[in-house]
Each structure stands twice: as C-alpha cells, then as structure tokens.
Amino acid sequence: MFPFNFEWIWDMPHMVFMGGLWYALGILGLGMTYCIIKAAVDAGKKDAGNHVGNHARNHD
Amino acid sequence: MDSAFIPNGVRRCAPGKFLVVLAVAGAVLLWGVYAMLLCWFKGLNQTNMNNNYGFALWIWADLAVIALGGGAFFTGFLRYIIGKDELKNIVNYAVLIGFICYSSALLILAIDIGQPLRGWFIFWHANVHSMLTEVAFCLSCYFGVLTIEYIPLILENRGIDRVPFLHHLGHNMHDIMAVFAATGAFLSFFHQGSLGGVAGVLFGRPFSYREGFFIWPWTFFLFTWSAAAYGPCFTLLITKITEAVTGKKLVKDNVVELLAKISGWMMVTYIIAKIVDTLYWANVTAPSKGLTLMDFYSHNAFYGVWILILEIVIGGIIPAAILITDKGRKSPAARTTAFVLAVIGVCVNRWVMVLQVMAAPVMTFDKWALYYPSWQEVATTILPVAYGVILIAISYRYLPIFPQEPELNPID
C-alpha cells in the first residue's frame, strides 16, 4: 500500500493499481476537507444563523 | 414523542408501531449476529464450504447485493453526470439502498474471510495482480462514496439541521455531489467488472471461462452492464414495497417510468450481449476445452437447462420487453412484475457464476458437487435483510428521503 512496505516495487502494476486507489482516496479526502472547512467558515459568519431554517429542503 | 425529529409536511405511524417493526427485524438481526459470532469464534467449520466450494452462499449474496445496489451508482450517474433532473426525486432512496447493499457486502466479506483481524492485509500487502484486490479497493472506496452521499440526507433531519455547522456541511456536500457521484461511477465500473472478471479468468473452469479484451474477459463488461441495467429495478421494487407498507404514494409515476425505461433499454442491450456471449461460449469456448453445452446442464439433480432459461428469458428478455414498451411501463402490475423478474434474473446470473461454476465437473473422473448451506450461512445471509429493514424504517421515519411525499400526501 505504501512504498515503505517490504513488498513494494516501483513497477507499472503497483503504480497503476495503487495510483488508482490514492487518486480515488485523494478526491474523496480533498472533497470532504473542502466541505468541512467551508462549513466551519460559513457557520462562523455572523449572519450564518439567519440562513438556517430558511434553506430549501431539497438543495437540488 | 419523537415528533420534533420527523420531517415537515409528512405523517408517520405511532412510535409504538414503529418500535414493534424494529423489534421484529431486530430479533432476526440478532439471530444473524449470533451465527456471525459463531463463525468468528469457532471458525469456518460452521459452514458447509469444502474443497469444492471455496466460494459459496456468502459470495453469491455478496455479488447479488452488489449488483442490486448498482442502482445507486447508475441513478447517481444519470442524475448528476447526465443531468436527468427528474431523478432527484428517487436518488436519495437509491443511495440509501446502495448504502445498505454495500455495507452488507462488506459485512458478509468480514465473516467470509474467517479471520477478520487480518482483513486489513488486503490493503496493506496488496497483490496488485489480483482482480479481488481491485474489488476490495473499489468496494471500500465506493462504500466511502455512498457514506458521503448518505450523510447530507442525515444532516437534513429537522433536529440536526438546526446546528449551523452541520446545516452548512450538508449544503456544501450537496454542492459538490457531482464530483463524488463521478468518483462513485468510476469505482463501480471497476469493481462490478472485476467481480465478473474473477469468474471469467478461471481457465480451469470452462463453465465460467471467457475470452475477452486485453486483460478483461467479457464477463467483466457483462457484470458492470448488468448491474447498471438491473440495479435500478431493485431500487424501484423496494420503492414499490415501501409504498405498499406505508400505504402512501412516495414517488410520482413519471419518475418511476423514466428510470424504468432507461433500465429497460439497458437490459435490452445487456441481454443481447449476454445471448451473443452465451452462444459463442457454447459453440466455441466450451468445445475448445473438450466440453459441450449440455455437459453443464445434465447428469445432476439441480442444474438443468431451466436455469439458463430462467436467467436469460424469464429474468432478462421478458422484463426488458415489458419496460421498453409504453403500455408495459405504464401498467403498475406489469411494471412491478418486470422489476421482480429482473431482480430474480440478476440474482440467478450471480448464482450460476459463483455456485454452478463450482458444481460443474472439470475432469473426466469428476462428479457434480452439489452444496447445501449450513444454518449459520443462511442466518448470516438473512442478517443484511433485517439490517436493511431497520435502516430503511429509521431513515424513512426521520429523514426527507422522498422529496415528493408531502405533495403527494398532503396533511389536512
């Protein structure tokens, strides 16, 4: 899973396979980090409370 | 008692009735948990698996729930990537059903590996030449995607939504849901395919072995295709069952018909590919291994040609024919029949690709090896059903899963 695992080899199968895994995990991790930080910033704004409850139930 | 947490504009049953449902499903769940603990503490000798059946009922259940849960990725793909806006009215439920299916699949795998304390080895010491490693990676990541898709729904609960941070978190997650949905579609394509690929590369098992493209046998593409085609039928069937249980209309007919139509056409294309694949396998692949089609469907007490007909004709051609016609789609009875047949069809496909593969003799001196699951295997396979009922009951009661419900069921 990591280059420091004893069985790791820098070959194409490892790079494609593990690259795919880390790519997917990276998108999910970065996406969630963005959402959490933005939510903290939004919630910290003075008027944030005014939006709560007025928000449409279905955001779509 | 819990009215402060029930969504606005909808009516729910009395708490007592709700608790009775939870208690009944909970009793079944506990039976499954007991069997699961037996498997964990006493080992896989609690099952009827043997040298012929390294893969058995659990792997069938795994493949079946993953295919049925395919409605989540395909509905999400249609809603967020293709832009079918009407499907916003059913995508929440598709996500919930997908979440239940995939968490169940992971639970079954945790029992099946026999030594769950070493479950992390598949990630840490990954065999990068194994399709099952790819399945483990994609399955786990996709479960993460489904969790991310389910969280905003939880955050819309009336009680939770009052907390500003959680309110904004749910809103932000909605805003970039297309990114998560696209990642989910990517992951699903590969793990659904690799599950089929596992059967297709078994060159020592002529029943499942297939030629293919590059490193992927045709079963790789057929499994992905069938999950996208049949998964939405399961979503629609569970929606229909939920409507029957609650006595309410929860999704408008135009939404159901749209998803049913897309599913029907996907099934048509899939079943044509499946028939071509079967004909090629029966006339070219199997004979090249010294076997004929009837070698796989005779001289045993269970597997006859009927199972091929059940899978392709009754569980494939008939539901597809119903769903692609206007008349069939608009008739609730015909539509529901098509959903049931489609679910049976894909489950039978997964059954034969797991269990008939193991049963069919390979050597001239081999005999058919039939298998009967132990009660522990059955109980742990029923466990996810009870878990699903509980999660659906709780989610339906406290979360706005069906956006059209208040409009379709106005409170006087």
Side-chain angles (χ1 to χ4, degrees), chain B residues 230-250:
Chain B
Y230 291 80
C233 282
F234 185 65
T235 304
L236 292 168
L237 178 64
I238 299 295
T239 305
K240 184 75 191 167
I241 291 171
T242 310
E243 287 183 337
V245 170
T246 58
K248 292 177 187 172
K249 183 105 187 112
L250 299 170

Side-chain angles (χ1 to χ4, degrees), chain B residues 12 23 47 64 82 98 127 140 184 214 336 353 387:
Chain B
R12 294 289 180 261
T47 73
I82 304 294
N127 171 8
S140 311
F214 193 40
T336 307
M353 292 307 275
Y387 152 71

Side-chain angles (χ1 to χ4, degrees), chain A residues 1-5 7-8 14 17-18 21-22 25, chain B residues 106 109 113 116-128 132-143:
Chain A
M1 188 171 186
F2 298 105
F4 55 76
N5 287 142
E7 73 272 23
W8 182 276
H14 275 83
F17 222 96
M18 307 313 292
L21 173 69
W22 288 112
L25 287 175
Chain B
L106 289 172
L109 283 177
I113 57 176
L117 292 178
R118 293 182 187 162
W120 57 280
F121 276 28
I122 201 164
F123 301 100
W124 199 264
H125 303 297
N127 171 8
V128 295
L132 282 178
T133 308
E134 186 194 328
V135 171
F137 282 11
C138 291
L139 208 64
S140 311
C141 289
Y142 185 54
F143 179 62

Side-chain angles (χ1 to χ4, degrees), chain B residues 180-263:
Chain B
F180 295 128
T183 310
F186 166 81
L187 293 166
S188 288
F189 176 82
F190 280 101
H191 76 249
Q192 296 279 3
S194 288
L195 284 170
V198 169
V201 296
L202 295 176
F203 56 84
R205 297 274 178 183
F207 181 75
S208 64
Y209 177 71
R210 297 290 192 278
E211 283 90 357
F213 169 71
F214 193 40
I215 61 167
W216 298 287
W218 297 127
T219 47
F220 180 99
F221 304 100
L222 289 173
F223 265 51
T224 300
W225 207 333
S226 58
Y230 291 80
C233 282
F234 185 65
T235 304
L236 292 168
L237 178 64
I238 299 295
T239 305
K240 184 75 191 167
I241 291 171
T242 310
E243 287 183 337
V245 170
T246 58
K248 292 177 187 172
K249 183 105 187 112
L250 299 170
V251 181
K252 287 183 181 174
D253 281 340
N254 68 316
V255 178
V256 172
E257 284 167 22
L258 173 66
L259 192 57
K261 184 180 180 181
I262 294 169
S263 181

Side-chain angles (χ1 to χ4, degrees), chain A residues 1-2 5 7 13-14 17 21 27-28 31-32 35-36 38-40 42-43 48 52 55 57-60, chain B residues 79 123-125 128-130 133-134 137 141 145 148 156 161 165 167-169 171-174 176 183 403:
Chain A
M1 188 171 186
F2 298 105
N5 287 142
E7 73 272 23
H14 275 83
F17 222 96
L21 173 69
I27 290 174
L28 301 185
M32 281 308 294
C35 291
I36 290 168
K38 191 166 183 294
D42 290 346
V52 180
H55 195 70
R57 290 299 85 197
N58 188 347
H59 300 290
D60 297 311
Chain B
R79 161 76 185 90
F123 301 100
W124 199 264
H125 303 297
V128 295
H129 303 287
S130 164
T133 308
E134 186 194 328
F137 282 11
C141 289
V145 171
I148 289 170
E156 282 188 43
D161 194 50
F165 171 74
H167 167 84
H168 288 291
L169 180 61
H171 181 59
N172 293 338
M173 289 173 77
H174 265 297
I176 61 163
T183 310

